[in-house]
Amino acid sequence: DYFEGYAGGKGGGIGSPRGNFGDTAHFETIETDANGIATVSFTLPDNVTTYTVTAHSVNEDLYAGVNKIDIVSKLNFFIQSTEPRNVKVTDDLVLNATAIAEENYNVKYEFKIKELDKVLTTEANTNSIATVNFGKIPFGTYHAIIKAQYGEYEDGIEYEFNIIESAQEVKEKQTVKIQ
């Protein structure tokens, strides 16, 4: 009946961008001690969301029970971004982010493509979309690092994306000789 949680993850400060955005925080089968108590420790992903912790139990007499609690993972200031998908080498790479906060103020953003060591900056108000255009990027896999800062508040996220040759994919190539 008792759950205890502690903060984990990177926190998203400028020096350590958030990058673990997994849907499942933890899954494990455990056994309790003689008093029916078990301890599990895990680090939450970097998502700003609510996680539901569910514990199922069965004893030797086949009595079963279940308990659920919510763990709210939140920040007073954080950024979110939509990861680019299916960007072709002929397209411009446009990245965006929104700083979420209760108050309205001007936020400074830094967008970086790690592998190209290319950085673009812009400013936008909180709860508004900040957008930058990197132009055409060569075929490959890249990592975007987006940082935002206002006064003492800061957050950063990192994600991977691909620049593709074509929107059509060939899963298997087979050569057939026609006579």
Side-chain angles (χ1 to χ4, degrees), residues 14 17 29 32 38 48 50 56 64 72 87 95 112 121 166:
I14 293 298
T29 300
T32 62
V48 178
T50 300
H56 294 270
V72 178
V87 179
L95 298 182
K112 179 177 182 177
T121 60
S166 168

Side-chain angles (χ1 to χ4, degrees), residues 102-116:
E102 289 183 13
E103 298 178 25
N104 188 24
Y105 36 78
N106 193 49
V107 178
K108 294 180 181 181
Y109 291 90
E110 178 183 288
F111 293 79
K112 179 177 182 177
I113 306 298
K114 189 191 297 188
E115 290 75 12
L116 301 176

Side-chain angles (χ1 to χ4, degrees), residues 69-139:
I69 64 156
D70 287 335
I71 297 175
V72 178
S73 173
K74 63 182 180 177
L75 297 168
N76 291 330
F77 174 88
F78 66 94
I79 58 175
Q80 59 187 22
S81 176
T82 303
E83 298 174 22
R85 303 215 189 281
N86 299 321
V87 179
K88 299 185 294 286
V89 293
T90 56
D91 297 336
D92 281 2
L93 173 65
V94 177
L95 298 182
N96 65 66
T98 303
I100 307 298
E102 289 183 13
E103 298 178 25
N104 188 24
Y105 36 78
N106 193 49
V107 178
K108 294 180 181 181
Y109 291 90
E110 178 183 288
F111 293 79
K112 179 177 182 177
I113 306 298
K114 189 191 297 188
E115 290 75 12
L116 301 176
D117 200 29
K118 188 171 183 180
V119 176
L120 296 177
T121 60
T122 191
E123 295 183 19
N125 287 338
T126 50
N127 307 311
S128 298
I129 299 173
T131 304
V132 294
N133 186 332
F134 280 93
K136 291 170 182 36
I137 304 292
F139 173 81

